[in-house]
Amino acid sequence: MNSTSHLSSSSSGSSSSDNSPSPLRKTRSLHDLYEVTTPIDDDVTLYCHLATCDPIVFKEAINDKKWRIVMDEEIASIEKNDTYKLIPRSKGKKPIGVKWIYK
């Protein structure tokens, strides 16, 4: 059995006016994963350590010269491409949130 055999489409089998195919499910449930997982010996302990150098938040990034340069280049690109227009916030309206990922 190959690993793709556990991926299934979500077709319901009912007839409807929409004849478009159902999208394939791109994830597997934990139950599906456990079915194809081989257990290991009980006396084995596995560890996963994550070490990263990239900043997590703006306060970390702004203190690093290379990240300030990258952020300035990103803003310059946004302005050059005319990707946004800054306008005054309307009363009673929330502004759109933005998140930058430092990678």
Side-chain angles (χ1 to χ4, degrees):
M1 175 182 303
N2 64 32
S3 61
T4 58
S5 65
H6 289 284
L7 299 177
S8 63
S9 65
S10 58
S11 63
S12 63
S14 64
S15 62
S16 69
S17 60
D18 182 15
N19 291 330
S20 62
S22 298
L24 290 177
R25 207 172 90 201
K26 295 181 180 172
T27 59
R28 294 187 283 174
S29 69
L30 282 177
H31 176 74
D32 292 342
L33 290 173
Y34 287 138
E35 277 185 358
V36 297
T37 302
T38 305
I40 58 172
D41 296 333
D42 289 337
D43 60 346
V44 175
T45 303
L46 303 175
Y47 293 96
C48 176
H49 296 279
L50 173 65
T52 180
C53 304
D54 295 334
I56 303 292
V57 294
F58 175 78
K59 286 182 182 180
E60 293 175 7
I62 198 66
N63 291 320
D64 186 331
K65 184 178 179 178
K66 77 172 185 179
W67 285 105
R68 282 196 318 266
I69 291 169
V70 170
M71 289 186 288
D72 288 343
E73 289 173 355
E74 180 70 16
I75 292 294
S77 175
I78 289 169
E79 290 172 343
K80 177 185 170 203
N81 294 325
D82 205 17
T83 309
Y84 80 104
K85 182 177 179 182
L86 187 61
I87 60 171
R89 184 175 70 178
S90 301
K91 288 185 179 183
K93 300 292 181 182
K94 285 184 159 183
I96 298 171
V98 175
K99 292 185 181 184
W100 283 18
I101 307 297
Y102 300 100
K103 289 279 179 189

